Amino acid sequence: MFQYTVRRLFQLIPVLLGMTLIVFSIIRAIPGDPAQVILGQQASKEAIAALRSKLGLDNPWYIQYFDYLKGLFQGDLGESIRTKTEVAQEIWPYLAATFELSIVAIIIAVVIGVNAGIISAWFQNSWFDYTAMILALIGVSMPIFWLGLMEQWVFGIKLDMLPTTGREDIRNPVNAITHLYIIDTIIQGRFDQLGAVLKHLILPGIALATIPMAIIARMTRSSMLEVMRSDYIRTARAKGLRMFLVVYKHSLKNAVIPVLTVIGLQMGLLLGGAILTETIFGWPGIGRYIYDAISYRDYPVIQSGILVVATIFVTINLIVDLLYAAVDPRIKYN
């Protein structure tokens, strides 16, 4: 296991290097000049040329790329062209916001999706099975931006039950320590703020969880149906074991590998693909951070933001691969 982990970690290096080259090349194909965007349309050519020289944008692309790689190997993610702040310093609050939202969304998706898939498989062809699979199909097909707007209209405007934007109550802001507001409020014993933070998480969390929930439910049902046709499951049922033990101890344990794969992939996608949800609900996450950087042609922020998201994505995939052996003892890594 240790040798396999080390080998996989070394395999991540060329993947991330290739990703940096692709992103570096693509963002320089974006129309617009960062110096022009910063100085405005009325800036003189001399001022624009001076700023381009100061930012190193007048160097050939390959020199800019190797300068960027040199900084990465030294732990430097660069400096934001717009805010003049180190990216490593300002990226964490945004990443923490997306991480917190994604964790809540994947918990909702796993709890509801896995159990819906299990019940559908156990009561195959029942009214619950048909209803759950129809809802899963709707969930996969439903645009997140439409669902988010409907949530805001129903629960925020019509019923006035839940907040529709932001992470916290602006009249009672959280004193950020880790920038993970759930943890920060618990550490400080501010349970009034904790309640407000959780309320702000409900609507965007449900909107973001809808598609993963549907995919997990369908995958769990398919995997459980295959396992429940096995001889050892029929034997367990013939012995009179309770349904709970048959399902969760014998069936689910052997059906969880493909489900675990889907959960890992969806978690990685949530971290990088929450931009629509963050935009609709005014959530200050990494997606909004990168989107705003694209608008300002802030190359260091775009490059480093995507690199951080990609690193988290491949790390989650590695963790999922390692969990296979923990879940199924038959899997060995040589």
Side-chain angles (χ1 to χ4, degrees), residues 45-298:
K45 293 182 178 180
E46 293 77 11
I48 293 174
L51 183 57
R52 284 181 58 83
S53 177
K54 180 181 178 181
L55 298 175
L57 298 175
D58 56 347
N59 293 326
W61 72 269
Y62 56 88
I63 293 180
Q64 296 181 49
Y65 177 66
F66 284 114
D67 287 342
Y68 173 60
L69 285 184
K70 181 180 177 182
L72 284 181
F73 287 122
Q74 295 174 350
D76 181 12
L77 295 178
E79 182 181 274
S80 171
I81 294 176
R82 181 166 61 99
T83 64
K84 306 301 181 184
T85 306
E86 293 292 329
V87 176
Q89 295 179 8
E90 68 176 13
I91 197 173
W92 170 243
Y94 300 98
L95 186 62
T98 297
F99 187 73
E100 190 169 63
L101 177 59
S102 299
I103 289 294
V104 171
I106 202 66
I107 290 174
I108 295 172
V110 170
V111 171
I112 298 178
V114 169
N115 286 285
I118 289 172
I119 298 172
S120 294
W122 189 265
F123 298 105
Q124 186 183 10
N125 298 326
S126 66
W127 68 269
F128 182 91
D129 183 22
Y130 290 126
T131 303
M133 291 304 102
I134 290 173
L135 291 176
L137 182 60
I138 294 173
V140 171
S141 308
M142 186 180 300
I144 290 180
F145 67 86
W146 182 85
L147 176 61
L149 292 174
M150 289 301 100
E151 285 183 337
Q152 289 178 325
W153 181 65
V154 174
F155 296 101
I157 298 175
K158 290 296 182 181
L159 300 179
D160 195 23
M161 292 173 56
L162 296 168
T164 58
T165 58
R167 295 183 67 191
E168 59 184 338
D169 185 350
I170 58 175
R171 295 167 298 181
N172 188 18
V174 176
N175 180 24
I177 300 174
T178 66
H179 293 282
L180 297 168
Y181 284 0
I182 293 178
I183 295 177
D184 290 342
T185 53
I186 293 175
I187 290 175
Q188 300 172 63
R190 295 299 304 273
F191 295 105
D192 56 329
Q193 293 181 336
L194 176 61
V197 168
L198 292 176
K199 284 184 177 180
H200 280 81
L201 276 165
I202 292 175
L203 293 184
I206 292 174
L208 193 59
T210 302
I211 292 178
M213 185 194 309
I215 295 173
I216 291 170
R218 292 170 66 89
M219 179 59 70
T220 303
R221 178 184 182 275
S222 176
S223 185
M224 285 290 292
L225 284 174
E226 183 178 348
V227 170
M228 287 169 61
R229 296 189 184 103
S230 303
D231 292 338
Y232 68 91
I233 297 299
R234 283 194 289 267
T235 302
R237 296 177 66 178
K239 287 181 177 180
L241 291 179
R242 289 183 299 170
M243 186 183 80
F244 182 86
L245 291 177
V246 174
V247 171
Y248 287 94
K249 183 178 180 181
H250 298 284
S251 301
L252 183 59
K253 188 175 181 180
N254 291 282
V256 77
I257 294 296
V259 178
L260 192 61
T261 303
V262 170
I263 292 173
L265 290 174
Q266 292 301 314
M267 183 61 192
L269 292 173
L270 289 182
L271 288 171
I275 183 169
L276 280 176
T277 306
E278 292 175 356
T279 301
I280 292 169
F281 291 96
W283 196 267
I286 190 70
R288 286 280 303 278
Y289 179 59
I290 296 175
Y291 175 79
D292 291 341
I294 293 173
S295 301
Y296 285 96
R297 309 299 187 271
D298 198 339

Side-chain angles (χ1 to χ4, degrees), residues 9-60:
L9 288 173
F10 277 109
Q11 289 174 355
L12 298 183
I13 296 175
V15 172
L16 294 176
L17 284 176
M19 189 277 305
T20 60
L21 179 59
I22 293 172
V23 172
F24 187 90
S25 303
I26 290 176
I27 64 174
R28 273 152 180 79
I30 299 175
D33 185 350
Q36 181 77 68
V37 173
I38 292 172
L39 296 177
Q41 296 297 325
Q42 305 302 321
S44 64
K45 293 182 178 180
E46 293 77 11
I48 293 174
L51 183 57
R52 284 181 58 83
S53 177
K54 180 181 178 181
L55 298 175
L57 298 175
D58 56 347
N59 293 326

